Amino acid sequence: MKLRPDEIASILKSEIERYEVDVDVEEVGTVIQIGDGIARIYGLMGCVALEKLELPHGVTGLALNLEEDNVAAVLFGEWEKIEEGDTVKRTGQVMSVPVGDALVGRVVDPLGIPLDGGAPIETTETRPLEFKAPGVVDRQPVKEPLQTGIKAIDAMIPIGRGQRELIIGDRGTGKTAICVDTILNQKGQDVICIYVAIGQKASTVRQVEETLRSNGAMDYTIIVSAPASEAAPIKYMAPYAGCAMGEYFLYNGKHALLMYDDLSKHADAYRQMSLLVRRPPGREAYPGDVFYLHSRLLERAVKLSDELGAGSLTALPVIETQAGDVSAYIPTNVISITDGQIFLQGDLFYSGVRPAINAGISVSRVGGNAQRRAMRKVAGRLRLDLASYRALEAFAQFASELDDATQQQLRRGQRLVATLNQPQYSPWPFEEQVAAIWAATNGYTDGIEVSDVQRFNSELIEYLRAGGRVLEAIRESGDLSDETEAELRSAVESFQESFQGTDQDPADPAVGSATGAGGDGGTESNASDGGAQAQAAQDADAGADAGDAEPTTAG
Ligand SMILES: Nc1ncnc2c1ncn2[C@@H]1O[C@H](COP(=O)(O)OP(=O)(O)O)[C@@H](O)[C@H]1O
Ligand SMILES: [Mg+2]
């Protein structure tokens, strides 16, 4: 075959015409400005939002602002080495993190790099940081409980698998403590926990890790840590990275629990980044899309439909308030995004209510659906009694003469509050919570000193564990049938007989006069005389309340 010269020329011409140089501008750009971990890049015309970019020295970029003639990217790694004029390559991928079972038991940074000194993470799977949340048809209602093991929460502010429940309060009110206890309580529950620490001191995160490890809870936990010393972009990434790791389990039909501790610091990191890329500041100088930032994160918490495997992702975001101000910008945002909040209060904490939950303004909008029947039965009564106690408490401080009914309500309320107190690292199983709350709401603690209530509860549980099968029946059926309730009643009554109150407080006027009249022997004999003791305390107390200190039964 022979080609004529003019044909060759025309082919060449058309080839040249078709030749495009846009490849370069699309795929490769140049750094035109660098500073504060942010690069402005010329070129990269085809770049998409949140795309991963490659820079020299192993630095990774994340395209944040797509502007008309440049792209602003935040940099991860040794960004100080980047200079103006360096080339930047597109990867065509949205930023992603390694996910998989290999991460369980590890402490990693938001890029999935181990921080625990262990071996590199062996996993081939990755998931994008940003992932569209499932729509309504892909979801099903939240109805399986996610037990925290904390009596006050499981009884009054129940959390379900797939729910978003905010933990909010000032610094040092026990927010992290609730997260840790909730993780401890997931042992054997088939829930993978992911604790995302944002902007905390590295030593604090270390402590959490130690606690979890020594309690065997790291076997089902991942810690994603972006400590305070890290650059803002790393902190910004942390909750998305944790969420992506959780979604791996979610979409494999499993259950994951995510804790973001805390989103206030996340919002601050985002504000810092946004101001650096010159986004216009809005309310409290946060960028306008900070609401959207958190809503698209929390929207990813879900209970999937059965067709999609029925996995769940539960989210417990944490917000730190300043002086209890829940009406600041970030707190109101996150309150409105979540399905309820657990409100922790400093003055309660210091007055000895721990966990310092203000039950009056804490809610769970999923509520009783996520509770088992037995708990629903006892908790209704608890809420009512506590509410009337709170209503009376304030004004009872001023009233000197109170009628018997009011006194009884106050007495009951104080004992309920004491029943709900709980030290850290001691989660209660569901059936034991039910038994303790049942006893308190049915007046079995009314006759004992407030300071004895905790001991009464723990001894009661030991007693129930040792004899009979009441606890087992509650656990297995999830219900408190009439029959079980009768069994529980007789068990609690016989336990109550044997319960010994502590030596009474000598400051107590009733006891003071009792010892005055009967000598030292009065209180001593109480301690040895077990059965009569509870009764004696009850009578002594009733006497004191009525202003009548006659020591009738003390001796
Ligand atoms: N239920 C509790 N009982 C006793 N101490 C608690 C309880 N919850 C928290 N604390 C203590 O209170 C302090 C502050 O708790 P932390 O969870 O770190 O608060 P936050 O995360 O709100 O700043 C810690 O020293 C913790 O041990
Ligand atoms: Mg904390």
Side-chain angles (χ1 to χ4, degrees):
M1 191 178 101
K2 245 177 109 188
L3 286 175
R4 280 176 294 143
D6 56 333
E7 222 171 70
I8 294 173
S10 83
I11 289 171
L12 279 177
K13 233 188 226 167
S14 74
E15 281 296 318
I16 289 167
E17 266 163 22
R18 269 198 287 155
Y19 179 69
E20 285 178 30
V21 280
D22 62 353
V23 185
D24 246 1
V25 215
E26 284 264 325
E27 306 297 335
V28 180
T30 319
V31 176
I32 51 174
Q33 195 187 37
I34 175 91
D36 300 309
I38 306 276
R40 275 188 190 279
I41 302 158
Y42 176 77
L44 301 182
M45 291 310 176
C47 180
V48 298
L50 302 176
E51 183 169 338
K52 184 178 171 182
L53 306 172
E54 276 173 14
L55 288 93
H57 310 293
V59 174
T60 310
L62 175 68
L64 203 65
N65 260 24
L66 307 178
E67 290 167 32
E68 208 162 322
D69 57 355
N70 71 74
V71 172
V74 292
L75 306 182
F76 303 101
E78 296 176 284
W79 65 265
E80 298 89 348
K81 292 193 178 162
I82 303 295
E83 291 175 352
E84 283 159 23
D86 280 347
T87 48
V88 184
K89 274 194 239 143
R90 280 187 60 188
T91 60
Q93 295 167 347
V94 169
M95 196 79 163
S96 57
V97 286
V99 298
D101 295 310
L103 283 151
V104 176
R106 305 298 302 269
V107 184
V108 296
D109 78 359
L111 295 164
I113 297 163
L115 296 175
D116 51 8
I121 308 289
E122 301 252 344
T123 177
T124 49
E125 236 178 297
T126 60
R127 286 192 70 90
L129 284 188
E130 295 270 3
F131 190 76
K132 195 164 176 290
V136 179
V137 286
D138 296 334
R139 296 177 181 241
Q140 61 174 305
V142 171
K143 49 186 188 296
E144 286 160 274
L146 186 121
Q147 303 275 345
T148 61
I150 299 169
K151 284 173 277 183
I153 297 178
D154 290 347
M156 297 189 296
I157 321 154
I159 301 171
R161 291 187 181 181
Q163 189 177 342
R164 302 157 296 180
E165 182 80 14
L166 170 64
I167 301 170
I168 185 167
D170 282 359
R171 186 185 183 144
T173 49
K175 303 183 296 297
T176 304
I178 289 184
C179 295
V180 171
D181 281 344
T182 306
I183 297 177
L184 295 186
N185 198 46
Q186 302 314 308
K187 188 177 269 176
Q189 302 294 310
D190 241 349
V191 177
I192 300 290
C193 302
I194 301 164
Y195 178 74
V196 184
I198 310 158
Q200 299 190 30
K201 275 186 298 190
S203 60
T204 317
V205 183
R206 199 42 168 279
Q207 263 170 17
V208 171
E209 184 199 344
E210 280 307 310
T211 309
L212 296 179
R213 229 177 258 293
S214 60
N215 285 284
M218 281 306 283
D219 296 348
Y220 52 87
T221 303
I222 304 172
I223 296 181
V224 180
S225 175
S229 54
E230 274 292 355
I234 293 276
K235 287 184 239 176
Y236 156 75
M237 262 183 77
Y240 295 96
C243 192
M245 292 171 191
E247 278 171 338
Y248 166 81
F249 299 101
L250 167 70
Y251 291 106
N252 280 306
K254 297 189 187 145
H255 302 281
L257 166 66
L258 269 153
M259 281 143 287
Y260 306 115
D261 194 3
D262 62 61
L263 287 186
S264 312
K265 298 198 185 73
H266 182 242
D268 291 349
Y270 190 60
R271 170 168 64 186
Q272 188 184 339
M273 275 167 53
S274 301
L275 292 174
L276 286 171
V277 298
R278 307 258 162 102
R279 288 192 182 169
R283 189 174 154 191
E284 293 181 21
Y286 289 102
D289 64 343
V290 71
F291 180 91
Y292 182 48
L293 180 80
H294 287 157
S295 70
R296 69 177 193 264
L297 173 70
L298 294 169
E299 200 59 29
R300 287 157 77 179
V302 58
K303 168 73 189 171
L304 285 179
S305 66
D306 289 338
E307 295 80 62
L308 291 175
S312 74
L313 187 70
T314 312
L316 299 180
V318 175
I319 287 283
E320 184 174 293
T321 51
Q322 309 293 329
D325 181 12
V326 287
S327 60
Y329 187 33
I330 302 299
T332 44
N333 277 356
V334 184
I335 285 173
S336 69
I337 294 166
T338 46
D339 305 309
Q341 68 273 346
I342 295 169
F343 189 77
L344 299 170
Q345 225 171 313
D347 48 356
L348 287 177
F349 188 88
Y350 297 118
S351 73
V353 179
R354 296 179 189 187
I357 296 172
N358 180 331
I361 56 174
S362 296
V363 292
S364 164
R365 286 175 207 117
V366 171
N369 283 347
Q371 263 176 336
R372 302 182 72 186
R373 281 180 71 90
M375 185 57 98
R376 229 178 301 159
K377 281 183 185 165
V378 297
R381 182 78 177 278
L382 175 69
R383 265 192 170 283
L384 287 179
D385 282 357
L386 271 181
S388 56
Y389 168 61
R390 274 192 299 271
L392 288 175
E393 193 190 14
F395 106 99
Q397 294 176 350
F398 305 104
S400 50
E401 301 261 312
L402 296 170
D403 62 80
D404 285 349
T406 311
Q407 274 179 26
Q408 171 52 27
Q409 278 179 332
L410 287 171
R411 163 180 293 277
R412 172 72 53 86
Q414 287 159 351
R415 275 131 191 100
L416 289 179
V417 170
T419 301
L420 295 179
N421 265 8
Q422 194 171 336
Q424 276 179 282
Y425 318 131
S426 54
W428 279 52
F430 153 78
E431 64 277 9
E432 298 181 359
Q433 295 189 17
V434 170
I437 293 170
W438 183 90
T441 50
N442 283 283
Y444 290 99
T445 49
D446 288 0
I448 54 177
E449 290 293 322
V450 173
S451 56
D452 277 343
V453 169
Q454 287 235 359
R455 193 167 59 81
F456 175 90
N457 281 327
S458 49
E459 287 178 15
L460 168 67
I461 295 304
E462 269 169 44
Y463 182 87
L464 293 176
R465 276 185 199 154
R469 27 157 269 113
V470 186
L471 291 178
E472 208 182 311
I474 300 175
R475 180 174 61 236
E476 273 161 18
S477 64
D479 198 357
L480 193 62
S481 62
D482 291 345
E483 196 185 319
T484 315
E485 188 168 356
E487 250 176 85
L488 180 59
R489 186 182 303 278
S490 71
V492 172
E493 275 168 6
S494 62
F495 165 73
Q496 198 191 22
E497 304 264 293
S498 68
F499 180 73
Q500 304 196 359
T502 326
D503 277 354
Q504 283 157 345
D505 185 358
D508 188 330
V511 182
S513 59
T515 33
D520 259 346
T523 35
E524 227 105 46
S525 70
N526 272 351
S528 54
D529 180 7
Q533 166 63 14
Q535 191 57 43
Q538 190 170 9
D539 289 349
D541 244 12
D545 283 336
D548 171 13
E550 211 184 316
T552 44
T553 51

